[in-house]
Amino acid sequence: MKIKPECAICIIRQVVDAVNEITKDEKEQFRLIKNTMNVIKDVYGEDAVPAWMGTVVHRYLKRISGNNDPYKKLKDKANKIALQYLDRVREMCNVDDELERLKMKVLATIAGNVIDYGAYSTGIDVEKLIKDTLNGELKIDNSKELLNDLKNRDIKKILYICDNAGEIIFDRILMEEIKKYDKEVVAVVKGKPILNDATLEDAKIAKIDEIAKVITTGSDIIGIILEECSEEFLKEFESADLIIAKGMGNYESLTEYDDRIDKPVYYILKAKCKPVAENIGVKVGDNVLLRR
């Protein structure tokens, strides 16, 4: 997926957000933002992939600021909030119907994504946001196809590419369901901090290592850049029978490899911006379980 002109708004907002986490000194904020704007100018263009453009920009910002993990406090807060709701969300998803249970657990992982709002904002009713998501719908709903793939004995290994801290707590709920179908689950997190993406530390907090093999991309890539991933990741990527990819960054980047991925890929996300929503064919705010 290539960027749209309005993607410039998002990347600049992300830089400002990150800088606000790095320092409260206005003079330093101006310096960091001004210097980073020059990098945005270099990588911004109609052939850019949003997640890859963001990777270059945020790597640069980390380097010139000397702060390798600007979102550390917010990630910790998101994990804490998600853990508070984990048992209630798990209980809400505990329904008898097999397909409905799977769909609910997919929605639960999307509900985990709204933890972002709770971590960044005050006065946000996180519980209401979670309940609204769980009681909502999948605008694109390939849950029947996913259930059939989970029942397919030829599909043995599933590569589960995680997205954010906080959200990864609820990812465990879906991984637990997948394990019921006697599947090997390999969970992927970032090798180094970037934005609020989950790392090994977050996977351990979510206790993902208790139910799945956990590996990293080997880098601080936003989304996936196969050319930059570790040998371990590439080995698991090639040997997996099915891929589940969480969030917009993974959708933006993995779709660039459509011509070389010869296995089912399920994208689970909330379309948070117009360019991604239009690319998928939904509206902003819609929940998506898309098989490609």
Side-chain angles (χ1 to χ4, degrees), residues 158-169:
I158 294 177
L159 190 72
Y160 193 111
I161 306 177
C162 300
D163 188 18
N164 298 334
E167 179 180 350
I168 195 173
I169 305 293

Side-chain angles (χ1 to χ4, degrees), residues 57-278:
V57 171
H58 285 278
R59 280 176 176 170
Y60 178 80
L61 180 57
K62 288 193 298 179
R63 181 168 64 82
I64 66 169
S65 69
N67 189 325
N68 189 52
D69 195 3
Y71 288 78
K72 172 64 175 167
K73 290 181 181 178
L74 289 173
K75 290 191 293 182
D76 290 345
K77 184 178 179 182
N79 285 330
K80 184 177 180 180
I81 293 171
L83 285 169
Q84 291 173 354
Y85 290 98
L86 177 60
D87 290 340
R88 273 176 278 178
V89 171
R90 187 183 273 126
E91 184 178 347
M92 290 178 69
C93 296
N94 189 23
V95 297
D96 291 332
D97 183 79
E98 189 177 30
L99 179 59
E100 187 63 23
R101 186 172 63 246
L102 178 62
K103 188 182 302 186
M104 287 288 288
K105 292 187 176 183
V106 168
L107 283 168
T109 70
I110 297 174
N113 195 246
V114 308
I115 297 297
D116 287 357
Y117 297 109
Y120 281 91
S121 307
T122 56
I124 295 294
D125 190 338
V126 175
E127 185 166 1
K128 183 179 185 302
L129 285 171
I130 291 172
K131 286 182 177 179
D132 287 348
T133 303
L134 286 171
N135 293 326
E137 64 172 353
L138 291 164
K139 195 64 177 182
I140 295 180
D141 182 5
N142 288 152
S143 54
K144 288 182 180 179
E145 291 84 350
L146 178 56
L147 180 59
N148 288 336
D149 280 334
L150 292 178
K151 290 181 175 182
N152 184 345
R153 293 185 178 181
D154 291 332
I155 293 178
K156 297 179 173 63
K157 181 192 290 188
I158 294 177
L159 190 72
Y160 193 111
I161 306 177
C162 300
D163 188 18
N164 298 334
E167 179 180 350
I168 195 173
I169 305 293
F170 291 175
D171 284 330
R172 177 176 172 134
I173 296 174
L174 180 55
M175 291 184 201
E176 289 169 346
E177 187 68 18
I178 292 169
K179 293 282 286 185
K180 292 178 182 179
Y181 296 90
D182 195 29
K183 305 300 180 187
E184 177 187 357
V185 179
V186 178
V188 182
V189 293
K190 295 295 183 287
K192 300 175 185 177
I194 190 79
L195 295 177
N196 61 337
D197 287 8
T199 61
L200 278 176
E201 180 182 356
D202 304 300
K204 290 177 180 178
I205 291 171
K207 298 182 179 180
I208 300 298
D209 54 326
E210 295 182 0
I211 59 171
K213 177 180 179 180
V214 181
I215 67 169
T216 80
T217 58
S219 184
D220 59 348
I221 304 157
I222 299 174
I224 296 294
I225 303 175
L226 292 179
E227 292 77 10
E228 289 196 25
C229 287
S230 66
E231 289 185 13
E232 181 184 32
F233 172 85
L234 293 174
K235 180 180 177 181
E236 297 291 356
F237 185 85
E238 293 299 329
S239 63
D241 302 304
L242 182 149
I243 296 170
I244 292 176
K246 294 292 307 300
M248 296 200 306
N250 284 321
Y251 175 81
E252 293 164 5
S253 55
L254 274 179
T255 50
E256 289 292 300
Y257 299 104
D258 278 350
D259 60 344
R260 59 183 284 188
I261 299 178
D262 59 353
K263 63 197 73 180
V265 181
Y266 285 88
Y267 293 101
I268 300 175
L269 58 90
K270 179 181 287 289
K272 292 181 175 180
C273 68
K274 186 178 177 182
V276 169
E278 288 183 345

